[in-house]
Amino acid sequence: MAMEIQQERQGANLQIRLSGDLDIYAAAPLRTHLLTVLQQHHEIELVLDEVAEVDGAGLQILLATKAEAMRLGVTLRLTGHSAAMVRALQLCRLTAYFGDPVILTREMAG
């Protein structure tokens, strides 16, 4: 499933909803898009509840985006983690790195 990006400005906050596969096929255009919005906004929320699959390239994009946000002093929050997103973050032990609350649903807990 191709990655779709929807944006909505909420005051100073830019909310970006990702849906589909966060994978190598989505990596280059998503990276370009996220690096552009980091230059234009002080607060960005990435809503990940509709991310179906995540691979290493997708995680690298999130890591690079977080690093650039920190460098620029931009607040970046990851919210609404899908089950696939939670599994990927836990597998790579990255949950604490991003520092955002991850809420497990009954489905995710098994």
Side-chain angles (χ1 to χ4, degrees), residues 5-77:
I5 304 168
Q6 298 175 339
Q7 290 187 176
E8 181 179 330
R9 185 183 289 255
Q10 297 177 340
N13 183 28
L14 179 67
Q15 185 181 73
I16 301 173
R17 178 175 298 277
L18 303 180
S19 60
D21 296 339
L22 183 53
D23 59 12
I24 194 165
Y25 303 106
L30 180 59
R31 182 178 193 278
T32 301
H33 181 77
L34 292 175
L35 292 178
T36 299
V37 297
L38 284 174
Q39 299 289 327
Q40 302 167 348
H41 299 278
H42 298 294
E43 292 184 34
I44 297 173
E45 175 185 3
L46 287 178
V47 182
L48 306 169
D49 60 346
E50 295 180 15
V51 172
E53 296 292 330
V54 184
D55 69 7
L59 288 175
Q60 286 177 339
I61 296 307
L62 294 179
L63 288 166
T65 302
K66 178 70 172 184
E68 184 66 6
M70 290 170 52
R71 188 184 76 76
L72 295 172
V74 173
T75 300
L76 175 69
R77 290 185 309 279

Side-chain angles (χ1 to χ4, degrees), residues 59 62-66 76 78 81 89 94-100:
L59 288 175
L62 294 179
L63 288 166
T65 302
K66 178 70 172 184
L76 175 69
L78 307 182
H81 302 76
L89 291 173
L94 291 172
T95 307
Y97 173 76
F98 288 99
D100 300 299

